[in-house]
Amino acid sequence: MNLIKLSWKYLTFRPLSTGLNALLLALGLAIMTVLLLIQDQFEKKMTQDAAGIDLVVGAKGSPLQLILSSIYHVDFPTGNIPMEEAEKLAKNRLVKGVIPLALGDNFKGFHIVGTNYDYLKSYKATVSNGILWEKPFEVVLGNEVAVQTGLKVDDVFAGSHGISVGGHEHDQYDFKVKGILEQQGNVLDRLVMTSIESVWLTHDEQGSLDSTAMNGLSSHDHEAFQRPVAQTGFPHSDRPREITSLLISYRSPMAAIQLPRMINSRTVMQAASPAFEMVRLFELLGVGVSLLRGLAFVLLGISGIGIFIALYNSLKERKYDLAILRAIGATRFQLVILIFLEGLSLTLIGALLGVGFGHVFLQVLISSNEQSVVSGIQAWVFLPEELWIIAYALVVGLVASLIPAWTAYKTSIALQLTRA
Amino acid sequence: MLLHTSKLKFTHPDQPTLSFPDIKLDSKEAIVILGQSGSGKTTLLNLLAGLMTPQSGEVLFDGIDLATRSPQRLDQFRGSEIGIVFQKPHLISAISVIENLELANYFTKKQGQNLMVLLTELGIAHKANASVLTLSEGEAQRVSIARSLVNNPKLILADEPTSSLDDEHASAVVELLKSQAEKIGAALVIVTHDQRLKVHFSKFIEVSGT
């Protein structure tokens, strides 16, 4: 028998009160843990995904939507832009590099991105299995896509129109998996990458079947299906074509001032800066985050008061116990330690539960949103800041135990035990 | 001489001062302190146990005045040298019977008696691992007697141990206290208003409070 065991016995002697208080504390800490994990990884991921991209150019609309659809692949594209305009822009002396994107289809919710090899190079992506695409309808899968769909090299599948599950299927021509990327830890993991030509041909096909009148594209060009695709720059085309957006890197800081203004005022396209739009997004989300954080603090405060009341009430019932402990040799100081131990072990349980709950909540959040941005977040990463959460909880326990411990210190044995 | 008090006086707030007759007690001796309610006999027990400090006079235990010890030393001294049986058992209900006894060992860091042997002698061995809440009143009292014995104290103080018992049980409890105190060589002081106890002891004093 010792003080730790005794304090534990006292806690388990009142399982409901102990459980309720630990749970309250755990909920507050779980919210804090989730916020901490999301904030840490989300911002890191956001910056990582946008690395090397200074400007996104696409059809006019919401700049935030353009960024979300072209960099993070979570929102609908704003529309298409003529490739001719994009090519003109690429020749601007302020532009160092351009990566064209053609979006609009998905496979089981994973976006299909028509692009060129530069896109993969900008993320320093390497193929773990197979090779890159060389002809139309050949694709490379992001690691997570491969894992979740079970597709392997040389498997074939049909994409669907639109960027969410359930659009009608483009079943005329199947995509063929040529390679699978290594785990990147960025947006590429969730993408199906192919050539811009593949995206064009898919929709040409659609057009010719749906309405033969569209753009006069009724002729079936079998040759186009065998031609090697462009590996860098814009693909070759003998008729006016459209792409979705353009990822641009600047040649000089001057470009940041001149280029967006020029594009927005003099072309049919719009330019959006990822850095600027992300700051705006975090500002919008910030209200929700501070609300949640406030809620977490309120829960922590309530649980602190709860622990205080539980200790204080149990102390009233236990004044005889405390006096008896003194009578059989416990010093005042040992009683104080006993009360602190009780408060601290209660908060420690709550803190461990809370951090555990936080990770489980996040896991649930991630697995219920497999194709969204949060899916790239790791639920079982442990941050050093989590130790602060536990330390913070222990401080709450310490503060809540102060007055009860003082009361225990002041307990007079004689008055308690021999009063008839 | 194990216990020697001289000219003890104590005043509760707003009450006349109590003065107590001197007590002299050797090891293995037993004494009954008789007194009516309000006579201050419980106050005397508190003074003997060092739970209260006398206004004047002194309590010498093995020749040392209790009042000269620091509060912390006094707590430890009391735990190891004085076993107290309170009027109510006051067991700790969060822990089992045997754990209540172990606790007394823990605070004094003494090995003390073999707990199971002690419980067997008091006829409550079968309740060793039971919750305190399942004990009958008599069993609880015997556990509290056991608790006062575990550290082999030199002095056992009992406060009204028989007040709520019938004649038969009262003498059984008194004999139990006497025989256990004798066995470990401790002096025994019983504080009571119960005149029945006189017949069990050769030595008694009366406290009138004035």
Side-chain angles (χ1 to χ4, degrees):
Chain A
M1 195 36 78
N2 56 47
L3 287 179
I4 294 177
K5 199 171 161 197
L6 184 62
S7 65
W8 179 249
K9 291 272 182 181
Y10 271 123
L11 283 180
T12 51
F13 189 59
R14 297 170 273 121
L16 291 182
S17 152
T18 303
L20 179 68
N21 284 309
L23 205 65
L24 260 178
L25 186 67
L27 280 182
L29 295 175
I31 296 181
M32 283 185 133
T33 309
V34 170
L35 286 180
L36 189 72
L37 288 171
I38 291 190
Q39 200 167 338
D40 180 80
Q41 298 190 38
F42 204 62
E43 289 187 20
K44 223 183 268 173
K45 217 174 108 63
M46 282 296 190
T47 353
Q48 195 189 340
D49 284 352
I53 301 168
D54 293 320
L55 198 67
V56 180
V57 175
K60 285 204 190 294
S62 149
L64 183 57
Q65 189 186 351
L66 180 62
I67 298 291
L68 289 178
S69 62
S70 292
I71 295 182
Y72 304 106
H73 302 276
V74 282
D75 206 347
F76 294 87
T78 44
N80 287 336
I81 53 175
M83 191 168 80
E84 198 186 338
E85 292 269 342
E87 278 176 308
K88 222 185 286 170
L89 184 63
K91 288 184 193 117
N92 191 300
R93 62 184 169 83
L94 294 167
V95 173
K96 188 171 136 202
V98 293
I99 301 169
L101 297 181
L103 310 171
D105 286 349
N106 81 90
F107 171 60
K108 292 189 176 169
F110 295 106
H111 296 192
I112 298 174
V113 179
T115 181
N116 57 33
Y117 292 180
D118 294 339
Y119 187 60
L120 299 182
K121 267 184 223 150
S122 78
Y123 288 101
K124 300 181 178 64
T126 47
V127 181
S128 72
N129 216 341
I131 53 169
L132 292 180
W133 65 86
E134 283 166 350
K135 290 176 184 166
F137 295 104
E138 294 181 343
V139 302
V140 166
L141 302 183
N143 198 281
E144 207 183 306
V145 182
V147 170
Q148 289 201 17
T149 57
L151 287 176
K152 290 179 294 292
V153 174
D154 288 337
D155 282 354
V156 289
F157 64 90
S160 329
H161 191 66
I163 63 163
S164 47
V165 194
H168 77 254
E169 301 227 326
H170 292 302
D171 42 12
Q172 288 75 35
Y173 285 95
D174 283 342
F175 288 106
K176 186 171 189 191
V177 180
K178 290 302 270 189
I180 291 163
L181 293 185
E182 271 181 56
Q183 173 111 35
Q184 304 293 317
N186 58 31
V187 66
L188 295 197
D189 287 345
R190 290 178 289 111
L191 297 179
V192 175
M193 285 143 287
T194 181
S195 56
I196 290 180
E197 289 90 331
S198 312
V199 178
W200 283 346
L201 291 170
T202 313
H203 293 93
D204 286 351
E205 202 54 36
Q206 208 51 52
S208 64
L209 285 180
D210 284 353
S211 80
T212 44
M214 250 183 72
N215 298 339
L217 294 176
S218 50
S219 68
H220 218 106
D221 192 0
H222 273 287
E223 203 191 323
F225 287 76
Q226 296 305 323
R227 213 182 283 149
V229 298
Q231 298 187 353
T232 182
F234 293 91
H236 168 78
S237 174
D238 39 17
R239 54 175 168 257
R241 286 289 196 178
E242 287 186 330
I243 60 170
T244 309
S245 58
L246 208 54
L247 308 180
I248 290 180
S249 57
Y250 295 149
R251 188 175 297 281
S252 75
M254 264 314 274
I257 305 162
Q258 297 184 0
L259 210 53
R261 270 186 60 187
M262 190 274 281
I263 294 168
N264 286 333
S265 60
R266 285 196 224 150
T267 68
V268 294
M269 306 177 289
Q270 73 159 334
S273 145
F276 182 79
E277 293 306 320
M278 281 305 108
V279 168
R280 217 164 63 93
L281 179 65
F282 285 132
E283 267 169 22
L284 292 172
L285 292 176
V287 181
V289 169
S290 31
L291 199 72
L292 272 177
R293 192 172 291 149
L295 186 67
F297 274 103
V298 168
L299 279 174
L300 272 187
I302 291 175
S303 66
I305 295 170
I307 290 167
F308 165 71
I309 291 175
L311 283 177
Y312 199 75
N313 276 343
S314 78
L315 215 59
K316 271 193 222 154
E317 298 158 14
R318 273 158 54 187
K319 52 190 181 189
Y320 294 116
D321 288 17
L322 291 173
I324 275 292
L325 293 176
R326 290 282 306 283
I328 61 175
T331 61
R332 288 173 186 276
F333 191 58
Q334 282 174 311
L335 297 192
V336 168
I337 292 179
L338 179 70
I339 302 298
F340 273 125
L341 273 177
E342 235 182 288
L344 288 179
S345 29
L346 183 60
T347 41
L348 186 65
I349 296 170
L352 295 178
L353 270 181
V355 170
F357 280 172
H359 285 276
V360 172
F361 283 169
L362 196 58
Q363 179 66 57
V364 171
L365 198 69
I366 291 167
S367 46
S368 59
N369 293 289
E370 275 176 353
Q371 266 110 31
S372 78
V373 205
V374 287
S375 71
I377 289 177
Q378 301 290 320
W380 299 102
V381 166
F382 290 87
L383 300 172
E385 284 91 336
E386 286 173 54
L387 291 178
W388 281 108
I389 290 186
I390 292 174
Y392 188 76
L394 291 181
V395 169
V396 170
L398 210 62
V399 171
S401 315
L402 276 179
I403 292 176
W406 177 246
T407 316
Y409 186 82
K410 298 297 279 180
T411 301
S412 157
I413 322 175
L415 290 182
Q416 294 305 335
L417 292 177
T418 51
R419 193 191 290 151
Chain B
M1 182 121 335
L2 178 76
L3 189 70
H4 182 196
T5 73
S6 59
K7 302 187 190 87
L8 284 178
K9 279 192 166 72
F10 191 88
T11 313
H12 287 286
D14 303 326
Q15 277 172 23
T17 302
L18 299 164
S19 34
F20 301 101
D22 293 356
I23 300 166
K24 292 187 175 69
L25 200 62
D26 277 320
S27 295
K28 300 187 188 179
E29 246 190 317
I31 191 173
V32 171
I33 297 172
L34 281 163
Q36 294 306 310
S37 299
S39 62
K41 55 186 191 312
T42 295
T43 305
L44 180 56
L45 180 126
N46 284 333
L47 293 174
L48 294 180
L51 295 173
M52 288 177 174
T53 313
Q55 210 157 13
S56 65
E58 53 186 14
V59 180
L60 297 175
F61 194 106
D62 267 343
I64 298 168
D65 188 354
L66 289 184
T68 60
R69 291 175 191 269
S70 72
Q72 189 160 343
R73 295 281 299 280
L74 188 58
D75 285 334
Q76 281 165 346
F77 171 78
R78 185 190 309 116
S80 65
E81 303 301 345
I82 304 175
I84 310 173
V85 181
F86 294 97
Q87 197 169 346
K88 286 178 190 155
H90 291 316
L91 301 174
I92 293 172
S93 36
I95 55 181
S96 72
V97 169
I98 194 135
E99 284 168 337
N100 264 275
L101 304 189
E102 283 169 5
L103 209 52
N105 279 155
Y106 167 73
F107 284 120
T108 55
K109 297 175 180 68
K110 263 181 143 182
Q111 199 54 53
Q113 299 204 30
N114 182 309
L115 300 180
M116 279 317 288
V117 171
L118 183 62
L119 286 176
T120 310
E121 276 176 27
L122 298 186
I124 38 178
H126 61 290
K127 290 283 190 178
N129 293 310
S131 156
V132 166
L133 300 173
T134 66
L135 299 179
S136 71
E137 218 171 306
E139 285 168 336
Q141 193 183 29
R142 272 177 283 164
V143 174
S144 83
I145 292 174
R147 184 175 57 194
S148 71
L149 297 168
V150 287
N151 287 326
N152 289 328
K154 289 181 181 161
L155 173 67
I156 293 169
L157 298 174
D159 186 14
E160 301 276 15
T162 57
S163 57
S164 58
L165 300 177
D166 59 30
D167 291 356
E168 198 183 322
H169 284 97
S171 53
V173 165
V174 170
E175 287 308 320
L176 183 67
L177 279 168
K178 273 174 77 178
S179 63
Q180 288 295 328
E182 245 165 65
K183 206 190 111 200
I184 60 170
L188 174 65
V189 175
I190 295 180
V191 175
T192 188
H193 71 275
D194 191 347
Q195 299 287 337
R196 295 175 297 183
L197 298 193
K198 274 192 204 175
V199 297
H200 295 274
F201 294 89
S202 54
K203 196 171 176 180
F204 64 88
I205 55 172
E206 303 231 11
V207 180
S208 59
T210 49

